[in-house]
Amino acid sequence: MRTTVGIIGAGPAGLLLARLLHNAGIDSVVLETRDRAYVEQRQRAGILEQGTVDVLREAGAAVRMDREGIGHDGIELRFDRRRHRVDFPALTGGRSVMVYAQTEVCKDLIALQLAAGGPLLFEAEALAVEGAETDRPSVRFRHQGREDVLECDYVVGCDGSWGVARKAVPAELSQVFERTYPFGWLGILADVPPSHDELVYARHDRGFALLSMRSPTVTRAYLQVPAGTDAADWSDEEIWDELDRRLETDDPAWTLKRGPITSKSVTPMRSHVHEPMRHGRVFLAGDAAHIVPPTGAKGLNLAVGDVVTFARALTELRETGSDARLDAYSETCLRRVWQAERFSYAMTTMLHRAPEAIPFDDRMQLAQLDRITTARSAETDLAESYTGLPFS
């Protein structure tokens, strides 16, 4: 099998890259280890930056998003029983975000790929990436019970932190920067309308809480819990009671709406960056190169930035013969990645209470939040980072 770009992984990064390349007249093949049902059901991020929304629209993949997504012009910070709304458009020149689940993005892109794109092979397990330093790299994979080889001009690994693409970068050339946090998020989905029309980020002495949504009738919420917590150890009533405590406010007009919880799980929290993001003709994108804690809503959006950068660079090479942007891929992406890591780290440490926290740490968190809510420059930095930095 032969193609220009071999894409490993049919998550939002791999699928969007295939769409962008198709629109640019560049052929590709997507290999995905899991079956289609799994890809279309796995729960992941739900906040799309302004730039991600714009790219999906330009790619012709936003019809359902524009119909069903929920536009958000701000978030609420809640701390010390106070409420403060951050107005994104007022602080960023009109930028905002969209609530639209990653599962839905994948469904839309899969439908487009199967209808008008290049091959998309489900249950095709990538076994190894070979020849990264040559002009004919290849992906060895297993599909329908037999091994095959996909020969490419370029390979883009969108196959996550445990995929095979990263292994194509020699260990002696790799640097890994990582931080593991001593807490995780207990996340729920509940059949009840959201208690607020925008996301609420709450800092509390008992720990962080986030009030979000999946639709006008489905609430998504999170609680900070110790690392290693089993979601089954929390009853539905205990979860709602704890959300009530951590979201407490002096505003008598606000109440937490409760309903049947349909799903609960615990997400670990870590930061991880692999450098470089390119070796020879193998490029890493998304979780294959970097992971951020979910506090800043950056994971999916960083992956989009990676594949947009690659698609633009390859298109420029085709149109002008210049490979300057392709050569700068890793440097370009990492500049944005580290800014997202900075923002996610700042949000995480400001809003979560560490197990070893002392009263001084508590006062520092409150001082940071007070600064954001009283200084326009600090609030603007949060709004610009949350709605998304430019892709290049």
Side-chain angles (χ1 to χ4, degrees):
M1 187 180 294
R2 181 88 177 88
T3 191
T4 300
V5 182
I7 302 171
I8 309 175
L15 291 166
L16 178 58
L17 176 57
R19 181 65 181 173
L20 295 174
L21 294 175
H22 172 77
N23 289 348
I26 301 171
D27 60 295
S28 68
V29 173
V30 183
L31 306 175
E32 167 57 43
T33 300
R34 302 284 191 166
D35 61 26
R36 179 178 180 178
Y38 179 89
V39 175
E40 293 186 336
Q41 291 173 9
R42 54 188 170 193
Q43 294 292 329
R44 293 291 189 273
I47 302 295
L48 307 183
E49 295 175 355
Q50 181 70 65
T52 297
V53 170
D54 294 342
V55 166
L56 288 171
R57 286 173 177 159
E58 292 166 8
V63 174
R64 198 160 64 91
M65 178 195 73
D66 283 332
R67 185 174 66 244
E68 301 177 11
I70 305 171
H72 278 197
D73 286 338
I75 59 172
E76 180 178 304
L77 297 175
R78 194 171 295 192
F79 62 100
D80 205 22
R81 303 184 68 89
R82 295 161 53 190
R83 302 178 64 181
H84 177 83
R85 181 175 184 267
V86 179
D87 186 331
F88 291 156
L91 294 162
T92 65
R95 297 171 68 82
S96 60
V97 297
M98 178 84 74
V99 175
Y100 190 63
Q102 176 174 313
T103 49
E104 307 309 312
V105 174
C106 286
K107 289 176 186 176
D108 297 341
L109 290 169
I110 286 171
L112 288 170
Q113 183 72 4
L114 294 177
L120 167 54
L121 305 182
F122 290 105
E123 298 180 85
E125 180 187 6
L127 303 174
V129 177
E130 299 169 341
E133 298 176 357
T134 73
D135 60 0
R136 290 290 185 272
S138 62
V139 183
R140 189 158 46 82
F141 67 99
R142 183 183 297 110
H143 184 235
Q144 296 180 340
R146 67 182 184 87
E147 284 195 19
D148 204 343
V149 175
L150 176 62
E151 298 178 343
C152 322
D153 292 337
Y154 306 92
V155 174
V156 181
C158 306
D159 52 343
S161 57
W162 305 110
V164 301
R166 187 190 292 180
K167 297 175 183 177
V169 183
E172 62 271 19
L173 300 180
S174 299
Q175 283 187 290
V176 174
F177 305 88
E178 190 165 32
R179 181 184 182 92
T180 301
Y181 298 88
F183 42 75
W185 277 11
L186 170 61
I188 65 165
L189 283 171
D191 285 337
V192 59
S195 300
H196 192 55
D197 56 0
E198 293 176 334
L199 274 66
V200 178
Y201 287 78
R203 184 269 170 203
H204 194 277
D205 287 342
R206 296 177 64 90
F208 169 75
L210 171 61
L211 197 59
S212 183
M213 63 194 69
R214 274 293 177 263
S215 74
T217 59
V218 176
T219 288
R220 183 73 159 151
Y222 301 91
L223 287 169
Q224 174 189 343
V225 294
T229 294
D230 186 343
D233 292 340
W234 284 73
S235 70
D236 292 7
E237 185 177 5
E238 288 173 329
I239 291 171
W240 287 119
D241 287 347
E242 192 62 24
L243 283 168
D244 235 342
R245 293 187 192 99
R246 299 188 192 184
L247 292 162
E248 63 185 2
T249 171
D250 287 334
D251 185 351
W254 187 87
T255 57
L256 178 67
K257 299 174 185 177
R258 301 188 179 207
I261 294 176
T262 59
S263 172
K264 63 178 84 168
S265 61
V266 173
T267 301
M269 304 277 281
R270 68 184 179 117
S271 302
H272 181 104
V273 180
H274 179 282
E275 296 185 9
M277 289 176 58
R278 174 197 181 179
H279 178 64
R281 292 205 172 195
V282 176
F283 297 76
L284 305 180
D287 286 0
H290 43 72
I291 293 172
V292 290
T295 324
K298 293 290 142 222
L300 167 61
N301 297 290
L302 274 183
V304 170
D306 294 342
V307 299
V308 167
T309 300
F310 177 82
R312 288 176 178 172
L314 189 57
T315 301
E316 181 176 281
L317 174 61
R318 284 293 187 91
E319 293 178 349
T320 70
S322 171
D323 57 4
R325 291 180 70 170
L326 206 58
D327 288 342
Y329 171 82
S330 183
E331 179 185 355
T332 302
C333 291
L334 284 169
R335 188 179 302 117
R336 192 170 187 272
V337 166
W338 278 112
Q339 285 301 315
E341 292 283 0
R342 174 198 64 83
F343 175 66
S344 299
Y345 175 81
M347 289 283 284
T348 300
T349 54
M350 179 176 68
L351 295 167
H352 294 72
R353 196 169 194 276
E356 71 281 2
I358 59 176
F360 179 87
D361 301 322
D362 296 331
R363 290 294 187 180
M364 285 297 293
Q365 288 182 320
L366 293 174
Q368 288 176 286
L369 286 160
D370 187 63
R371 173 70 177 170
I372 289 171
T373 59
T374 58
R376 188 176 179 87
S377 59
E379 190 177 18
T380 298
D381 179 64
L382 187 155
E384 289 179 343
S385 297
Y386 199 99
T387 57
L389 300 175
F391 287 147
S392 60

